[in-house]
Amino acid sequence: MPPLLSVRNVTRRFEGLTALNDVSMEVEPRTIAGVIGPNGAGKTTLFNVLTGFYRPTSGEVWFEGRRIDRLPLHGIAAAGISRTFQNIRLFANMTAIENVLVGQHIHLKTNFATAIVRPPSVTREERSAVKTAVELLRFAGLTRRENELARNLAYGEQRRLEIARALAVRPRLLLLDEPTAGMNPGEAAGMIKLIRALRDDMLMTIVLIEHSMRVVMGVCERITVLDHGEKISEGRPEEVQQDRRVIEAYLGTGQIITDGRA
């Protein structure tokens, strides 16, 4: 089976700084992959290249057999890639369901004219969008929180809302930037279950950035390690955790916990 995502020799420079240097990786369909590395390793820069926030200085990004690194942001989203952010970016003064509805806008056919005239097709589309939003919130564990303002949700719930909004784009590849950052152990364990459900129940392909080795080693099937913008290791969790370069650059000499608990 061909890879869903193929990153081919991607370099990204910012004036005198090389944030990514000749990075290549592949992600198979319906897998959970991890990208790890110390601060400043280039992880979020990689996500920004994948989603069109940055264009690579050189190299290519292919998704489902199509080159996408020259597409605009909305073009990449429409192609089937969505993401969350390290720092939560919700519309704080909008309700949970309104946040998710915003994520659906690229698939809606309503325009300025039809919004004024409001033919039956517009009403049907709006009802369908609301139904989908409710289902996504339920899947994310936010049942009966639809009408709560985003700013009033607990921290862990805000993380889940970000994922529900990202799912509204109907992605086939979901990029999660530190999904358990700032969570307590119980919240992190719940997030691990949600990530697995995304793959198992929604048949989603997931790439996540994480600093928690307990999470990474417990949920990822393949891991890519970056250091100073370069890929220094790649493989299954049990392979990566034994790589001397990884231990020196990121993990340290302490024992790596590989179960899925947090």
Side-chain angles (χ1 to χ4, degrees):
M1 182 179 295
L4 183 75
L5 175 71
S6 180
V7 179
R8 305 178 183 177
N9 306 108
V10 164
T11 294
R12 173 64 198 194
R13 298 188 182 94
F14 298 94
E15 297 181 352
L17 172 67
T18 300
L20 293 172
N21 185 25
D22 197 34
V23 172
S24 296
M25 64 179 289
E26 292 185 343
V27 179
E28 301 297 322
R30 301 178 185 177
T31 59
I32 302 174
V35 179
I36 68 173
N39 290 331
K43 305 181 299 295
T44 297
T45 299
L46 176 61
F47 269 26
N48 285 337
V49 168
L50 297 181
T51 52
F53 283 89
Y54 301 146
R55 288 189 175 182
T57 305
S58 62
E60 301 175 357
V61 179
W62 290 72
F63 179 68
E64 294 188 320
R66 174 191 182 192
R67 187 175 177 182
I68 63 168
D69 54 86
R70 298 298 174 182
L71 294 178
L73 285 167
H74 67 274
I76 292 178
I81 299 178
S82 187
R83 73 175 293 182
T84 64
F85 294 86
Q86 179 179 356
N87 298 315
I88 295 175
R89 298 186 184 182
L90 296 170
F91 297 102
N93 293 317
M94 294 172 62
T95 64
I97 196 167
E98 288 170 342
N99 269 273
V100 177
L101 288 169
V102 167
Q104 296 189 57
H105 77 278
I106 65 171
H107 298 293
L108 301 181
K109 299 177 181 178
T110 302
N111 55 37
F112 181 76
T114 56
I116 294 175
V117 177
R118 297 193 62 78
S121 60
V122 170
T123 301
R124 288 195 298 270
E125 186 176 59
E126 289 177 348
R127 289 175 178 170
S128 177
V130 169
K131 180 181 177 182
T132 298
V134 171
E135 291 172 350
L136 290 175
L137 288 168
R138 183 181 300 115
F139 186 87
L142 295 172
T143 303
R144 294 188 295 276
R145 304 293 274 166
E146 298 93 341
N147 297 314
E148 192 72 46
L149 290 179
R151 70 181 185 209
N152 293 336
L153 295 174
Y155 179 81
E157 292 178 324
Q158 291 183 13
R159 286 283 182 191
R160 289 173 174 269
L161 177 55
E162 261 212 320
I163 290 177
R165 186 177 64 182
L167 293 175
V169 180
R170 304 177 196 169
R172 289 174 295 286
L173 175 64
L174 181 62
L175 308 178
L176 303 177
D177 196 344
E178 297 200 37
T180 68
M183 288 187 173
N184 62 44
E187 291 171 331
M191 181 59 69
I192 289 173
K193 291 181 181 178
L194 175 57
I195 292 170
R196 287 178 175 150
L198 289 168
R199 190 269 314 277
D200 297 338
D201 299 338
M202 299 191 74
L203 306 180
M204 194 76 59
T205 303
I206 300 166
V207 180
L208 61 90
I209 293 171
E210 256 298 339
H211 279 295
S212 169
M213 290 301 97
R214 191 189 296 265
V215 174
V216 171
M217 298 297 171
V219 77
C220 293
E221 297 151 301
R222 191 167 182 83
I223 297 171
T224 299
V225 187
L226 301 180
D227 186 33
H228 293 94
E230 297 186 355
K231 184 173 76 173
I232 62 170
S233 184
E234 189 173 52
R236 298 188 303 273
E238 60 271 21
E239 295 171 336
V240 168
Q241 69 175 333
Q242 299 297 330
D243 191 316
R244 176 183 53 81
R245 295 169 299 177
V246 178
I247 295 172
E248 291 176 352
Y250 185 59
L251 299 177
T253 57
Q255 181 180 4
I256 302 169
I257 300 173
T258 58
D259 64 31
R261 295 171 297 176

